[in-house]
Amino acid sequence: MTRRTEWPGSDAEPAPDPGAGPDYGTGSGGGFGEGAGRRARSRSRSSGSPSSSRAEKGEPRDPVEQARSVCLRLLTGTPRTRKQLADALRKREIPDEAAEEVLSRFEDVGLIDDAAFADAWVESRHHGRGLARRALVRELRTKGVDSAVIDEAIGQLDSEQEEETARELVARKLRSTRGLDRDRRMRRLAGMLARKGYGEGMALRVVRQALEGEGEDTEGLDEPF
């Protein structure tokens, strides 16, 4: 039995028989069948241009916008030096001209400030990790900070403050060396200071005084470790 339906704007005509296969339609207005509908939707989904697809994803459309997006993302919550950002842009194959434009602009508005970065780094790493000036200089160089900027930042630490920090480090470590012989204690404590960038002379002096405070005989401990 043939079911009949009414198509808008047309005379009544038979509806397609579900068992007769897909109806591809005829003439310029054809394509009412289910298969044609699926193909039409598929063509509609795949017909978007690459630029519109990128826009939907929120990706920058030009190198300057891309560089700005990368820098803002990297600076979120973590200060970085100009060289760190430049290296990140180069890794992402951002053209040098676009990278330079964005980096210079960020410096102008204070989003990149190597001097402030160096000051904060020295403050944090010295008081938080007990690093000496030599170790701090080495770290800041790996971050790409200019030598003059490093010297100014390191200038906030004087030799007296550095030695006081060394004494605090040894005092915290001293208890864990009890039970070892004198020479092993000396090597362990002085080695800890050396790894943090303290010079040999200061390390020996600070460790010897700490051991003397515990009643150790420190004769002959002025020799290099």
Side-chain angles (χ1 to χ4, degrees), residues 115-132:
F117 177 95
D119 288 343
W121 189 268
V122 169
E123 175 74 15
S124 173
R125 300 287 282 175
H126 178 73
H127 293 290
R129 298 288 301 278
L131 298 187

Side-chain angles (χ1 to χ4, degrees), residues 13-222:
E13 55 185 30
D17 184 349
D23 178 7
Y24 296 106
T26 58
S28 60
F32 289 112
E34 182 181 353
R38 284 197 299 267
R39 284 192 299 279
R41 290 192 295 272
S42 177
R43 286 196 299 271
S44 176
R45 286 193 298 268
S46 63
S47 62
S49 66
S51 60
S52 64
S53 176
R54 286 195 299 269
E56 290 172 1
K57 294 179 181 179
E59 297 179 4
R61 296 185 178 183
D62 66 78
V64 170
E65 287 299 321
Q66 187 178 359
R68 183 180 292 112
S69 176
V70 170
C71 289
L72 287 173
R73 185 167 63 251
L74 292 176
L75 286 169
T76 301
T78 305
R80 297 178 190 268
T81 66
R82 177 172 177 135
K83 182 180 184 299
Q84 287 178 301
L85 293 173
D87 289 345
L89 295 179
R90 191 174 300 111
K91 186 176 181 180
R92 290 166 174 78
E93 300 182 349
I94 304 295
D96 291 343
E97 184 176 348
E100 182 65 25
E101 177 180 339
V102 171
L103 293 173
S104 296
R105 176 58 179 164
F106 274 36
E107 277 189 327
D108 290 342
V109 300
L111 291 175
I112 300 175
D113 188 337
D114 282 4
F117 177 95
D119 288 343
W121 189 268
V122 169
E123 175 74 15
S124 173
R125 300 287 282 175
H126 178 73
H127 293 290
R129 298 288 301 278
L131 298 187
R133 288 175 291 182
R134 185 167 60 183
L136 293 168
V137 168
R138 184 168 57 247
E139 288 188 341
L140 287 172
R141 283 176 178 165
T142 65
K143 305 289 183 186
V145 179
D146 183 78
S147 295
V149 175
I150 292 176
D151 290 342
E152 187 172 349
I154 294 297
Q156 63 185 282
L157 294 177
D158 57 33
S159 57
E160 291 183 1
Q161 184 175 356
E162 192 175 53
E163 184 163 335
E164 178 60 29
T165 301
R167 294 183 191 283
E168 292 172 359
L169 290 170
V170 170
R172 291 201 295 266
K173 186 76 172 177
L174 196 62
R175 179 178 298 179
S176 67
T177 66
R178 289 172 185 164
L180 301 176
D181 63 63
R182 185 198 67 173
D183 290 346
R184 289 185 66 188
R185 296 185 79 188
M186 179 69 179
R187 286 194 299 271
R188 183 166 297 184
L189 294 169
M192 178 268 296
L193 291 179
R195 288 190 297 273
K196 291 182 178 291
Y198 292 89
E200 186 177 275
M202 179 184 291
L204 286 170
R205 182 171 64 255
V206 168
V207 173
R208 187 183 69 247
Q209 292 171 353
L211 293 177
E212 287 175 350
E214 290 203 334
E216 288 275 14
D217 179 8
T218 61
E219 184 177 356
L221 285 182
D222 287 335

